[in-house]
Amino acid sequence: MKIYTRSGDEGETSLFAGGRVSKSHLRLHAYGTVDELNAVLGLAAAAGVGGSVAVPLIRVQAELFTVGADLATPLGAQPKWLVRVTPEMTARLEAEIDAWQAALPELRNFILPGGALGGAFLHQARVVCRRAERWLVALSAQEALNDETLRYLNRLSDWLFVAARVANQDAGEPESPWQSPER
């Protein structure tokens, strides 16, 4: 299979289950940002995120392909091969957040993103996830979408924040609390 098709040379691309849209379409911004998020998670994994975050991180990367496919397929299209985002995926994120938070010190103020390289990449992934979420909200104002995709991305950004804290704790990196500038 060739990696290039030349079909997008005029600024349009194909959606799953048919149809073509401009590469500037909100749908492409949404799932393109999900793709970017997945790449940042790959950086976190390559940076050595381990411990209790390592295996769920790889699962989330796989789930982001499901999110992308869901967003690349108009809601009315129901191809038999398509797997859409499910409430169970979101519930799994919530369970992991709860388990991790039970082992972390309680937050009493904001923390600065950073720490170990893997934790810093997870913090970066969180802000990319929030951007994907904003694109999804904009798209959902124009087209019907699977509501669970928005819930999943919203929960994932929380998951990424807590995962960054866990990764930094596992790496022995202390959190840097935000300090209000003196006036």
Side-chain angles (χ1 to χ4, degrees):
M1 176 173 121
K2 285 188 175 186
I3 194 69
Y4 62 89
T5 63
R6 297 186 177 122
S7 65
D9 290 352
E10 301 299 317
E12 287 190 345
T13 192
S14 297
L15 297 176
F16 283 2
R20 292 185 65 76
V21 295
S22 168
K23 289 185 177 184
S24 67
H25 193 281
L26 286 175
R27 183 178 295 277
L28 267 25
H29 281 291
Y31 73 72
T33 306
V34 168
D35 190 30
E36 178 185 353
L37 168 60
N38 208 341
V40 176
L41 293 181
L43 288 170
V49 168
S52 62
V53 178
V55 172
L57 178 62
I58 302 304
R59 186 203 70 242
V60 165
Q61 283 192 279
E63 288 175 350
L64 287 174
F65 274 93
T66 300
V67 173
D70 199 331
L71 293 173
T73 309
L75 193 58
Q78 297 295 325
K80 292 179 182 173
W81 48 264
L82 179 67
V83 177
R84 294 211 183 257
V85 177
T86 66
E88 292 77 21
M89 292 166 62
T90 305
R92 192 168 32 248
L93 294 175
E94 291 172 350
E96 288 165 346
I97 291 168
D98 293 343
W100 287 337
Q101 277 196 289
L104 287 169
E106 182 180 347
L107 278 180
R108 299 194 180 279
N109 51 334
F110 292 111
I111 59 171
L112 300 177
L117 188 59
F121 278 130
L122 290 170
H123 278 296
Q124 181 184 15
R126 176 184 51 81
V127 298
V128 173
C129 186
R130 288 288 190 205
R131 181 164 21 97
E133 187 180 2
R134 290 189 301 271
W135 283 119
L136 200 59
V137 168
L139 177 61
S140 70
Q142 295 182 3
E143 297 184 33
L145 300 174
N146 174 2
D147 292 336
E148 199 59 39
T149 56
L150 185 57
R151 279 189 285 276
Y152 179 87
L153 287 179
N154 186 40
R155 209 68 75 251
L156 181 58
S157 62
D158 297 331
W159 185 96
L160 289 164
F161 176 75
V162 177
R165 294 188 69 211
V166 170
N168 285 332
Q169 183 180 51
D170 289 349
E173 288 287 333
E175 295 177 328
S176 298
W178 172 73
Q179 300 291 324
S180 177
E182 299 295 322
R183 291 184 183 212

